[in-house]
Amino acid sequence: MEDNKFSGVNSITFHQRFKTEEDCLEYLSLMKWEKGFTCKKCKNTTCCSGKKSFNKRCTKCGYDESPTAGTMFDKVKFSILIAFHIVFKIATKKKGMSSLELSNEFELRQKTCWEFKWKLQQAMASSLSYPINETVHVDEFWIGESEKSKPGRSPGKKKQVAIILEIVDGGVGRAYADVIENASAKELGRVLKKHVSKETKIITDKWRGYTPLKKHFKNLEQVQSNDGKNFKDIHIHIMNIKGWLRGIHHHCSKERLQGYLDEYHYRYNRRGHMEVIFNLLLKRMVDNEPKRL
Ligand SMILES: [Zn+2]
């Protein structure tokens, strides 16, 4: 697999590489059984070819497994070739593609695209394997209409999001955003514990929700926001998320909003690794089963 991995963002190269259903099934099969075969039913590790090409059949119990079984490509309502092309577009286009755009480009029902995108967004959620260690800025913002009708941090119809931005030498590193119930210490603490390690230097504004978190995060420092001037990078980041969401997102559930935030940050956090972004996303789709809505 190592030598055959697809890399890059060039769509002509991609079209040449994945021309048929077989090209994609072969690729999935190599990726799925990269580390060898283990039968899903009886854990036996020897196999022979199955009924269809690229299937594997357990030599002990006879279970015949397709490359898509137990992956996010299982029971997809269109061809694997189209699915590959959608994954490529979503991974490599700077702003991704909305379900409406996908529906037009691939001549599929919008609902079908929406369902497949929901799986993709699940695959794009942070693995939580690499918490940020150095320095972060943290803030919250609202998503939804009439931003000015509810001042401050009081709950309303809109949804609130906590945002963590890694600050590195000469700029910004990774970022994560999570939907929160409210801006309480409990909720902000939950999100911080998810994405940053205990020793991280955390800089927030003076909001009281952050103060109790100093017990857990010894390097949490609260500074005057100075009308946002001290948190310039995070405010630019928030504006960019809002601008992107405005184009595609209308009154979606809390879960769906989290999906969009995950999608945005999957691409954002790999902006310096575009050559491997398609393959990484495909791998996540092969290694994980979709959750139901
Ligand atoms: Zn078996």
Side-chain angles (χ1 to χ4, degrees), residues 65-209:
E65 189 176 328
S66 75
T68 56
T71 75
M72 290 196 183
F73 294 99
D74 207 5
K75 300 186 183 78
V76 164
K77 289 174 185 154
F78 40 85
S79 76
I80 298 297
L81 183 62
I82 289 180
F84 261 54
H85 281 257
I86 294 178
V87 175
F88 181 72
K89 296 260 185 193
I90 298 286
T92 59
K93 275 180 78 122
K94 195 158 182 256
K95 296 189 170 188
M97 274 176 97
S98 68
S99 52
L100 182 63
E101 289 172 309
L102 290 173
S103 151
N104 291 333
E105 179 144 350
F106 296 100
E107 297 181 326
L108 297 165
R109 289 174 62 214
Q110 193 182 348
K111 186 165 180 282
T112 305
C113 298
W114 191 83
E115 284 166 359
F116 187 65
K117 240 197 115 173
W118 173 234
K119 289 187 192 173
L120 265 166
Q121 288 177 337
Q122 289 173 26
M124 291 166 119
S126 169
S127 68
L128 307 180
S129 312
Y130 309 99
I132 300 175
N133 294 313
E134 301 294 327
T135 305
V136 294
H137 284 177
V138 185
D139 205 352
E140 329 88 55
F141 63 98
W142 293 97
I143 292 289
E145 73 287 11
S146 59
E147 311 255 336
K148 287 196 176 82
S149 66
K150 294 251 178 192
R153 273 133 162 158
S154 65
K157 249 190 167 183
K158 298 166 288 168
K159 293 174 196 78
Q160 206 168 11
V161 175
I163 169 106
I164 300 171
L165 186 67
E166 184 184 25
I167 303 298
V168 296
D169 261 352
V172 292
R174 283 181 282 155
Y176 296 103
D178 279 69
V179 180
I180 49 176
E181 296 292 336
N182 50 52
S184 66
K186 193 181 161 211
E187 279 290 274
L188 294 167
R190 175 181 64 81
V191 175
L192 276 167
K193 282 175 193 164
K194 212 172 137 183
H195 299 293
V196 309
S197 56
K198 219 175 157 179
E199 295 72 32
T200 304
K201 184 180 165 118
I202 301 169
I203 302 166
T204 74
D205 61 17
K206 295 278 192 183
W207 170 244
R208 64 171 185 268

Side-chain angles (χ1 to χ4, degrees), residues 37 39-44 46 58-63:
F37 171 86
C39 176
K40 277 203 193 313
K41 301 276 171 199
C42 74
K43 305 280 173 249
N44 172 40
T46 51
C58 172
T59 50
K60 205 169 156 194
C61 76
Y63 176 63

Side-chain angles (χ1 to χ4, degrees), residues 14 17-30 54 67 80-85 282:
F14 188 84
R17 177 73 185 268
F18 300 104
K19 282 200 214 81
T20 64
E21 202 72 358
E22 278 68 40
D23 294 339
C24 304
L25 285 172
E26 183 181 21
Y27 199 81
L28 283 183
S29 146
L30 288 169
F54 312 113
I80 298 297
L81 183 62
I82 289 180
F84 261 54
H85 281 257
L282 201 70

